[in-house]
Amino acid sequence: MLKRIFSYLIPITIYKKKSSLSKSIEITWANGELVLDSENTNYSYGSLQRILRIGLKNIGFEKITKMDHILVLGVAGGSVIKTLIDEIHYKGKITGVEIDPEIIHVANQYFHLSDVRQLNIVLDDAFEFVLKTKDKYDLIIIDIFQDTTMPNFLFESFFINRICFLLKSKGFILFNTMLLDEKQNLRNKKYITDFDQKNYSIKSIPRVEKHNELIVIEKLT
């Protein structure tokens, strides 16, 4: 309790471990709440939870409550899952895919992710998972980072086409991206311009928490 109180004055790190995939994993009390960080960025709760909450609000909480199955690519500490359950009161199935087993261990220990009964965690590479899954989803949340780096495959046509194939009619994709330089700005603009705008509605929510841009895609047919 004292650490939580003092965290309003200064962040207090209570857990730190090296990770081959995320460089470093840290659990910190900051402004009265536990957050999960990598070496250079917030992974769960804190600013990331605020970012994805904005995207979910843009889709519409009422629409989300009626969905049957949500796919989360990049679970980390599970803050978006907690938002879905605690704030939106989503009752359907959630499949979460996370490549780093150490992060899931931390999420279970500090954020009690294993207590979420409707959640199925799959330890796998997101690219491999989307190739193998037979399910279709009402909402696909893409939140994949290795520290501040986004894997290139997220922006390649093969992955994009596969994600769209897995999306149900009238379903949504919520894609969290990071923009640190002009090259990444151009990357996002190309992604939006090149998207199939006949069958999909696509829009961006720029500069969420300074360096993040959310891309929201709706399947029209």
Side-chain angles (χ1 to χ4, degrees):
M1 183 58 70
L2 284 177
K3 289 180 179 178
R4 182 175 186 176
I5 293 169
F6 282 122
S7 74
Y8 287 99
L9 301 174
I10 186 172
I12 300 172
T13 299
I14 61 172
Y15 175 94
K16 186 171 182 177
K17 185 171 182 178
K18 292 290 184 183
S19 166
S20 59
L21 295 169
S22 304
K23 294 186 180 180
S24 174
I25 299 171
E26 297 182 10
I27 302 291
T28 302
W29 280 108
N31 295 315
E33 64 177 345
L34 279 179
V35 299
L36 170 62
D37 295 325
S38 66
E39 184 174 6
N40 297 299
T41 192
N42 176 236
Y43 259 17
S44 276
Y45 305 92
S47 63
L48 181 65
Q49 189 167 25
R50 293 192 293 272
I51 290 165
L52 292 175
R53 186 186 289 116
I54 288 169
L56 295 171
K57 281 184 177 179
N58 192 274
I59 292 169
F61 286 5
E62 188 174 331
K63 289 180 183 177
I64 293 170
T65 57
K66 296 174 182 176
M67 294 176 177
D68 295 318
H69 197 172
I70 294 175
L71 174 63
V72 179
L73 298 176
V75 173
S79 56
V80 71
I81 293 166
K82 291 298 183 72
T83 299
L84 287 167
I85 291 167
D86 295 342
E87 298 181 38
I88 302 176
H89 307 296
Y90 175 72
K91 303 295 184 185
K93 183 178 179 182
I94 304 171
T95 297
V97 180
E98 174 58 54
I99 195 171
D100 192 340
E102 182 60 34
I103 282 186
I104 294 300
H105 172 75
V106 167
N108 290 336
Q109 181 177 354
Y110 288 94
F111 302 106
H112 311 291
L113 201 59
S114 56
D115 293 345
V116 182
R117 294 183 180 181
Q118 69 218 69
L119 172 64
N120 176 40
I121 293 289
V122 180
L123 285 171
D124 201 354
D125 180 274
F127 185 85
E128 296 294 329
F129 177 85
V130 301
L131 292 181
K132 294 180 288 188
T133 182
K134 306 295 184 185
D135 292 329
K136 294 288 185 83
Y137 306 92
D138 301 284
L139 169 61
I140 299 174
I141 300 170
I142 305 172
D143 188 38
I144 298 175
F145 298 89
Q146 292 178 346
D147 197 32
T148 58
T149 302
M150 299 188 71
N152 290 330
F153 74 80
L154 295 173
F155 300 91
E156 293 172 355
S157 58
F158 183 84
F159 181 80
I160 296 166
N161 292 338
R162 182 62 183 170
I163 288 292
C164 290
F165 173 76
L166 297 176
L167 200 63
K168 294 180 184 178
S169 177
K170 309 296 183 182
F172 288 86
I173 297 167
L174 176 57
F175 185 16
N176 182 26
T177 69
M178 186 173 288
L179 304 178
L180 299 175
D181 55 38
E182 183 57 25
K183 183 179 178 180
Q184 292 171 351
N185 275 316
L186 293 173
R187 174 203 66 195
N188 276 29
K189 288 178 181 177
K190 185 177 187 302
Y191 183 94
I192 293 168
T193 302
D194 291 352
F195 215 89
D196 175 9
Q197 298 193 24
K198 180 180 178 182
N199 298 303
Y200 298 86
S201 169
I202 181 168
K203 61 184 175 182
S204 66
I205 307 173
R207 296 304 175 193
V208 183
E209 294 286 335
K210 191 176 180 179
H211 293 302
N212 292 80
E213 179 172 74
L214 290 170
I215 298 174
V216 181
I217 301 159
E218 180 181 4
K219 194 170 191 176
L220 301 176
T221 57

